[in-house]
Amino acid sequence: MRRSVRIGIDVGGTHTKAVAINNDTQEVIGKSSVKTTHKSEQGVAEGVVASFIKCLAENQIQPVEVVFVAHSTTQATNALLEGDVAKVGIISTAKGGVEGWLAKWQTALKDIDLGTGRSIEVVARFIPQKELSKATIETALAELQQAQAQVIVTSAAFGVDDLKTEERIAEVAKQKGIEVTLASEMTKLYGLSRRTRTAAINASILPTMLETANSTENSVRQAGVDVPLMIMRGDGGLMDIVEMKKRPVLTMLSGPAASVMGALMYLRTSNGIYFEVGGTSTNLGVIKNGRPVIDYSEIAGHKTYVNSLDVRVLGVAGGSMVRVNKKGVVDVGPRSAHIAGLEYSTYLPEEEIVAPELELYAPKEGDPADYVAIKLASGKRITITNSCAANVLGYVTKDDFSYGNAHSARKAMQPLAEYLETTVEDVAQQILDQAVQKIAPVIHSFARKYQLEPNQMTLVGVGGGVSSLIKHAAKQLSLNYKIPENAEVISSIGVALSVVQDVVERIVPNPTKADIAAIKQEAATLAIESGATPDSIEVHIEIDPQTQKITARASGATAAQAAERQNQITREEAQEIAVTELQVARENVISCAASEHFYVYGAATKKGDRVCVIDHRGFIRVQRDHAAVVKTTIQSYSEQIARLWESMANYQSDLVIRPDFYICAGPRLFDFSSTDYTQLMMLIDIELSQLIGTEEIIIIAANRLQ
């Protein structure tokens, strides 16, 4: 019987890594890695293709065995950082009067500063709707092309309610061979200026992204693989390459998204800080209730409607170089050894480290001239990095990807220690202390923003350089940490095993069941268009009672997605997971409820009852403090919800904080939160009314504050 193989490829700042996974067992078959091809004419696409072909060759995988190919990409982020963007022309329209005046003003965007000394150039034309015709559209297009616009954005006031006007303009542009972005395809939210800006950013990278996407797709086809090519989105889902060609801006931060999805699949963690360390940068973000936290992206301070992981990217990592003066180590990074073209001392044979001499210099034009290089007797220049320091201090073991030769690192660091009149160990300590000083404020800021208790702040470490930083950071911050198996290729695994995802957001005052059903269907349709199979779609609904924003997040498997494994953990195994997660003595952990698909365990603590929900595969789906658990029937859930709504209300002066609700019904876990009881019950009714053959359900209610 022929194997079915999934290939996941992650593009990092230093390396592009591919991993092959058995589609049926989800076991790793093999890995491969190449240097990321930043300077290639094809950009990072060349490395994606090279790692893919290398992975097939090194692991004896036949092209016909490949049923799925997906990759993350830094192309969108790089294009914006480096200013590799097209000039954008905007054609906007609205009715007359005040509406027209406001729309013309809101869509006449100024050039968008990218914060790097470069900008997206923008030119705009406004056509009143009563004057909108093929002739006026063609005139506006001619004027924009004369102004050197290469791509077009079409944006209509209230276009989210009816796409026809934007589609009419787009059709004329496409007939002339011009690439177009429709503002109302980027988001269904009101806010004409922000919606138009999001579309302009998307349009600016269309030419670069289309070239890269076509090159990658053609190369995969030439390799004999004829399956859909999927791309990682910045919110942790996948989209097929056809959809990516329309909305490439959604791939921003797809690398960090890949890493956190891989970590969630390999580690049983419901709450924590994921901590991805590469050679050039470290990405930090939040996992809460088994899902990565999503927020709107900002580009150089410009707010957009692009959903992505709430990530902080720091210029400190395993390969970060060291800056010093006579007082000691003053900084680590942002310049990396890879970008400077120098080897790490810890990865050289000890016999090569002969007569090392300290040199302070500027690796690149514009860099400070206090970066450390070590010149050897051979004339070769090497450098000292966080990985070197971590190997010296024994943080890195033989099982870690970043393991090197500590003796080589010591010899290379000796002249620096002499310059600073201290020991090699003290220099290594200073280096890692400086690195943690950059990381700690971000972790503290996440803890405040998302109300994470210290017991919920396990550092989830991934990436090839993770051992160089996470252990010292955990020690300094008094936190626990986890590093999964295959941490160095966890992003590639995340890409290979992720599911398709899409989002619809709308502002609907006082939504009805029909409104919510329509938005659910719209999100499901988008996910199907992005490559998900219809019968695999699940849609999660959230309603923000303050803004009346409805968010429908649809997810589903591709046709090649492996069938769920039948191996289920035992009750005893679930209890062991709960003991670890709840961080209390085993005798204090009790079973609160169980079903065919879920185990719910709890423990009494000084801060109240703590509960975790574990699914039958061993994944922690929810972990909350101040929680109550009820097992009931689907016919009686409304009475239990009403009772918990009142009994768990938290009264703070004139503010009443209502509990969040989770319902385990059959194989699904639903997540509900609302400050409006009618809306809450409407959401629950909609979800549970679609279940067939489910009798017993488990309800978990948890207070947000205490």
Side-chain angles (χ1 to χ4, degrees):
M1 183 176 175
R2 191 169 68 195
R3 289 182 301 182
S4 295
V5 179
R6 299 170 72 87
I7 304 287
I9 304 165
D10 177 62
V11 181
T14 306
H15 292 95
T16 296
K17 299 173 182 176
V19 64
I21 293 178
N22 186 301
N23 191 52
D24 299 316
T25 65
Q26 297 190 0
E27 294 174 339
V28 173
I29 296 170
K31 321 165 194 176
S32 68
S33 176
V34 300
K35 288 286 181 72
T36 298
T37 52
H38 294 290
K39 297 179 181 179
S40 165
E41 287 185 8
Q42 295 179 309
V44 298
E46 182 178 318
V48 170
V49 173
S51 65
F52 170 73
I53 293 172
K54 186 179 179 184
C55 189
L56 296 187
E58 290 182 344
N59 299 291
Q60 292 81 51
I61 299 168
Q62 298 303 313
V64 293
E65 294 180 305
V66 178
V67 296
F68 176 93
V69 182
H71 71 87
S72 71
T73 177
T74 59
Q75 198 79 13
T77 304
N78 289 346
L80 293 168
L81 287 174
E82 296 166 13
D84 184 14
V85 291
K87 189 171 185 177
V88 177
I90 297 172
I91 298 179
S92 59
T93 186
K95 294 178 181 178
V98 174
E99 178 186 312
W101 179 83
L102 284 172
K104 183 177 181 179
W105 173 70
Q106 290 176 337
T107 57
L109 302 183
K110 297 179 180 179
D111 290 353
I112 301 171
D113 181 8
L114 294 174
T116 59
R118 302 191 182 191
S119 300
I120 300 171
E121 294 183 65
V122 181
V123 288
R125 295 291 183 272
F126 178 81
I127 306 173
Q129 278 189 17
K130 63 182 180 181
E131 299 176 17
L132 196 65
S133 67
K134 185 175 182 181
T136 56
I137 295 169
E138 287 178 337
T139 299
L141 285 169
E143 291 174 357
L144 292 172
Q145 286 185 299
Q146 191 172 5
Q148 307 301 313
Q150 300 160 270
V151 287
I152 297 296
V153 165
T154 170
S155 184
F158 303 103
V160 295
D161 296 327
D162 186 355
L163 263 175
K164 290 178 183 176
T165 303
E166 291 184 9
E167 289 174 337
R168 184 179 175 188
I169 299 169
E171 184 180 354
V172 178
K174 289 175 181 177
Q175 288 171 356
K176 294 185 174 295
I178 306 171
E179 295 295 338
V180 187
T181 291
L182 281 67
S184 298
E185 280 190 337
M186 299 304 302
T187 177
K188 299 301 182 184
L189 292 177
Y190 296 120
L192 183 58
S193 180
R194 188 168 173 182
R195 189 166 73 243
T196 305
R197 185 188 308 115
T198 303
I201 293 169
N202 184 77
S204 76
I205 60 175
L206 266 177
T208 296
M209 295 297 289
L210 285 172
E211 185 179 345
T212 299
N214 290 333
S215 172
T216 306
E217 188 174 29
N218 290 338
S219 297
V220 170
R221 298 288 172 261
Q222 289 169 10
V225 175
D226 188 21
V227 296
L229 180 60
M230 309 298 291
I231 315 295
M232 195 78 188
R233 294 162 48 119
D235 60 5
L238 294 173
M239 63 198 304
D240 74 7
I241 198 163
V242 176
E243 281 299 304
M244 191 277 272
K245 290 175 182 179
K246 291 195 298 186
R247 298 182 289 167
V249 74
L250 298 184
T251 65
M252 285 172 47
L253 297 176
S254 72
S259 69
V260 70
M261 298 314 292
L264 286 171
M265 291 165 189
Y266 262 61
L267 285 177
R268 296 173 173 129
T269 298
S270 60
N271 295 293
I273 306 289
Y274 68 84
F275 193 109
E276 181 195 19
V277 184
T280 304
S281 61
T282 291
N283 302 313
L284 298 170
V286 175
I287 298 167
K288 194 162 186 180
N289 291 326
R291 294 196 299 266
V293 171
I294 306 293
D295 205 347
Y296 293 125
S297 293
E298 287 193 19
I299 298 171
H302 303 289
K303 293 183 178 180
T304 74
Y305 280 133
V306 176
N307 276 282
S308 66
L309 271 66
D310 190 3
V311 170
R312 304 292 182 272
V313 182
L314 303 179
V316 58
S320 295
M321 295 173 64
V322 177
R323 295 176 56 200
V324 301
N325 61 27
K326 272 304 222 177
K327 294 181 180 179
V329 176
V330 297
D331 201 0
V332 179
R335 182 63 63 217
S336 71
H338 172 60
I339 300 299
L342 300 180
E343 295 182 58
Y344 305 17
S345 63
T346 195
Y347 300 131
L348 263 67
E350 188 177 353
E351 55 269 21
E352 282 193 35
I353 314 291
V354 179
E357 294 180 10
L358 174 66
E359 285 189 0
L360 300 182
Y361 83 121
K364 294 286 182 181
E365 186 177 349
D367 285 347
D370 57 1
Y371 277 98
V372 169
I374 302 297
K375 185 177 179 181
L376 305 179
S378 63
K380 183 177 183 177
R381 261 182 173 180
I382 61 173
T383 195
I384 294 166
T385 66
N386 282 316
S387 292
C388 302
N391 273 278
V392 165
L393 294 177
Y395 283 120
V396 191
T397 69
K398 289 183 178 180
D399 295 328
D400 295 318
F401 185 77
S402 53
Y403 181 71
N405 189 323
H407 298 296
S408 296
R410 285 175 181 277
K411 287 180 70 173
M413 291 170 69
Q414 186 59 43
L416 176 57
E418 292 170 0
Y419 174 78
L420 298 177
E421 299 180 350
T422 187
T423 64
V424 166
E425 286 75 15
D426 182 57
V427 171
Q429 183 79 27
Q430 287 187 48
I431 291 170
L432 295 185
D433 285 347
Q434 285 289 337
V436 172
Q437 281 183 31
K438 291 185 172 183
I439 293 165
V442 176
I443 292 176
H444 294 319
S445 139
F446 275 143
R448 289 190 299 271
K449 182 175 180 179
Y450 295 109
Q451 300 179 0
L452 295 176
E453 298 288 341
N455 64 59
Q456 298 176 334
M457 285 176 58
T458 298
L459 301 182
V460 180
V462 295
V466 66
S467 295
S468 301
L469 290 180
I470 194 171
K471 297 177 183 179
H472 191 68
K475 180 180 177 182
Q476 295 289 87
L477 299 172
S478 300
L479 296 174
N480 295 320
Y481 72 89
K482 297 179 181 179
I483 301 175
E485 183 184 359
N486 294 308
E488 75 280 6
V489 291
I490 202 73
S491 297
S492 303
I493 292 170
V495 173
L497 297 181
S498 288
V499 297
V500 175
Q501 186 166 288
D502 220 314
V503 179
V504 171
E505 297 174 302
R506 284 189 180 276
I507 303 295
V508 184
N510 303 313
T512 64
K513 285 187 177 182
D515 292 327
I516 294 172
I519 293 169
K520 280 187 68 174
Q521 184 57 52
E522 188 176 352
T525 300
L526 282 175
I528 292 167
E529 289 175 353
S530 290
T533 57
D535 59 351
S536 70
I537 298 291
E538 290 189 3
V539 183
H540 173 68
I541 296 285
E542 294 177 2
I543 300 178
D544 186 326
Q546 293 183 324
T547 64
Q548 293 297 292
K549 182 179 76 173
I550 301 175
T551 301
R553 193 173 301 278
S555 61
T558 65
Q561 187 81 35
E564 186 173 302
R565 287 176 290 177
Q566 296 303 307
N567 293 337
Q568 297 191 14
I569 62 169
T570 64
R571 183 181 294 271
E572 291 72 23
E573 289 170 332
Q575 185 173 17
E576 287 303 312
I577 294 168
V579 169
T580 302
E581 182 68 12
L582 296 173
Q583 298 182 24
V584 296
R586 180 176 282 96
E587 59 268 21
N588 295 330
V589 174
I590 61 170
S591 174
C592 302
S595 68
E596 182 183 353
H597 299 278
F598 296 97
Y599 298 99
V600 183
Y601 284 91
T605 72
K606 293 180 181 179
K607 293 188 176 182
D609 292 334
R610 186 178 300 162
V611 164
C612 75
V613 180
I614 303 166
D615 70 20
H616 69 283
R617 298 169 300 166
F619 289 101
I620 299 166
R621 301 291 297 276
V622 176
Q623 193 266 311
R624 292 291 301 265
D625 289 342
H626 322 303
V629 180
V630 175
K631 189 170 185 180
T632 186
T633 64
I634 200 165
Q635 293 82 10
S636 304
Y637 73 85
S638 56
E639 294 90 336
Q640 296 296 339
I641 295 288
R643 180 181 65 79
L644 292 166
W645 176 266
E646 292 299 335
S647 66
M648 296 192 67
N650 188 351
Y651 294 88
Q652 297 188 350
S653 64
D654 59 344
L655 179 67
V656 182
I657 300 173
R658 298 293 181 175
D660 298 327
F661 287 89
Y662 307 88
I663 296 179
C664 302
R668 298 183 62 187
L669 186 145
F670 300 98
D671 179 349
F672 303 101
S673 63
S674 178
T675 56
D676 183 280
Y677 181 73
T678 302
Q679 279 190 353
L680 173 72
M681 292 307 297
M682 180 172 62
L683 286 174
I684 296 175
D685 288 344
I686 289 171
E687 297 293 1
L688 297 190
S689 65
Q690 298 177 5
L691 296 177
I692 299 173
T694 299
E695 275 295 317
E696 290 189 320
I697 63 172
I698 302 170
I699 300 172
I700 300 97
N703 280 330
R704 287 178 241 176
L705 295 173
Q706 191 76 2

